[in-house]
Every structure is written in structure tokens, then in C-alpha cells.
Amino acid sequence: TCAMATTITFDDIAPGAIANGYEGFDWTNFSAHNALPLTSGYRYAPVSGTQTAFNPFGAPATMASSTAFTLNNAFFTAAWRDGLNIHAEASGNGNNYSMDFTVNATAPSNVVFNWANINSVTFSSSGGTPHAGYSGTGIHFAVDSITVNAVPEPETYAMMLAGLAALAAVARRRKTVHPVA
């Protein structure tokens, strides 16, 4: 009973710090990046279009919303290091989730979360080994095609139930057979 899924691609904003309010979220330490033909994992990170988001300076990055959401999945790529570890931690509405996963600098990895009814998620990166031939060595990651669902407010459920009840009443009236004179 969640709203339709939305995929956040970062292709419709200018490169640079992602402004709060983009796609309904507050973004901390996330920037949009055009995957230029650099010798780095950024080149391989886009799943849709040419832009991704990344964590400047390799610092933890957070997306948050005052409205509950479900984090379905996202595609992650290491910028400079193979075997880059990413720790994801989410919370909200009494729910707490965490996951550790590893990504490389040569292809995006689809990470499935299915974390429901949360308000924020933070991604922290560490470790890995420098990819041969890449000029950087930071613990940056790129992320693309983050798929989320908005969780309806209780009032939405009440309106939906009232609408269904009205439809049922109309259907019952139409089923009533009137004798022909």
C-alpha cells in the first residue's frame, strides 16, 4: 500500500552540491557529478543518463525526509578503490536498519535494501585498495538510480477507505434489480 516507486537519477540537476528539497529529500554531503571520461570509477557509475551523486571528500552522506519513505535499491560504484566498503544505516518511525556491502571501481552494483517506513539513511565508506591506473585514492563512492517509495500518511489511508466504501455503495445500487412493469 505504498505509493508508486520513484527513481532518483540526478540527471535533471546541475553538477555541484545537491540542494535540500531535490526529489523531496534533504541531502547532506551529496553532490551531483557528470561522469566525464575520467580515469576513475566515476566513468562507469551512471546507470541512467550521465550524472550520479557522490560523497565529496569521502565523508558520510545522508538523505533524509520528514515524510516516511521506503528505500528499495540503488546502484553504487567506487570512485577510486576496488573492494570499497560502504556501511548504510537507516532509521525512522521506530525502524532501524543497517547493512555493509562492498563495491568496485569498474561497474555499478545494484544494492537491494527494501527498508520501509524510514526518515533518513546515511552511507559511510572505508577501506578498499587503489584501482591500478586510477589517479585518485579517496574513499568516494558514486550512487545512481536510487529507487524510493513514499509511505502514505494515515489521512491518505482514511481517504482511500472512504473512496472504496463510496465505490462499493455505488456498485451495490447498480446491482439492485428493479422489476419491470
Side-chain angles (χ1 to χ4, degrees):
T1 60
C2 287
M4 188 175 186
T6 299
T7 301
I8 304 169
T9 64
F10 309 102
D11 291 319
D12 57 345
I13 58 175
I18 299 174
N20 287 340
Y22 175 67
E23 293 290 349
F25 290 91
D26 289 337
W27 302 88
T28 303
N29 201 45
F30 268 112
S31 286
H33 183 269
N34 192 328
L36 302 171
L38 299 171
T39 307
S40 72
Y42 290 124
R43 176 182 194 170
Y44 304 104
V47 174
S48 63
T50 60
Q51 285 199 165
T52 62
F54 74 104
N55 60 329
F57 307 107
T62 300
M63 58 185 287
S65 175
S66 59
T67 304
F69 65 95
T70 296
L71 175 62
N72 298 316
N73 70 301
F75 289 83
F76 290 85
T77 309
W80 309 106
R81 296 172 164 263
D82 290 319
L84 181 71
N85 299 307
I86 300 178
H87 176 75
E89 196 165 306
S91 62
N93 303 301
N95 297 310
N96 293 298
Y97 302 96
S98 69
M99 174 192 296
D100 293 301
F101 54 95
T102 303
V103 297
N104 290 311
T106 54
S109 297
N110 182 16
V111 180
V112 177
F113 298 98
N114 290 326
W115 293 348
N117 204 19
I118 59 173
N119 291 100
S120 74
V121 59
T122 299
F123 303 100
S124 305
S125 52
S126 64
T129 57
H131 184 87
Y134 287 1
S135 58
T137 61
I139 55 171
H140 307 73
F141 63 80
V143 61
D144 196 16
S145 296
I146 301 172
T147 305
V148 297
N149 291 65
V151 175
E153 299 288 330
E155 298 83 26
T156 304
Y157 287 117
M159 285 176 42
M160 184 175 65
L161 288 173
L164 289 173
L167 287 174
V170 168
R172 274 194 302 274
R173 278 191 188 162
R174 287 187 179 171
K175 278 187 173 180
T176 304
V177 177
H178 297 287
V180 178

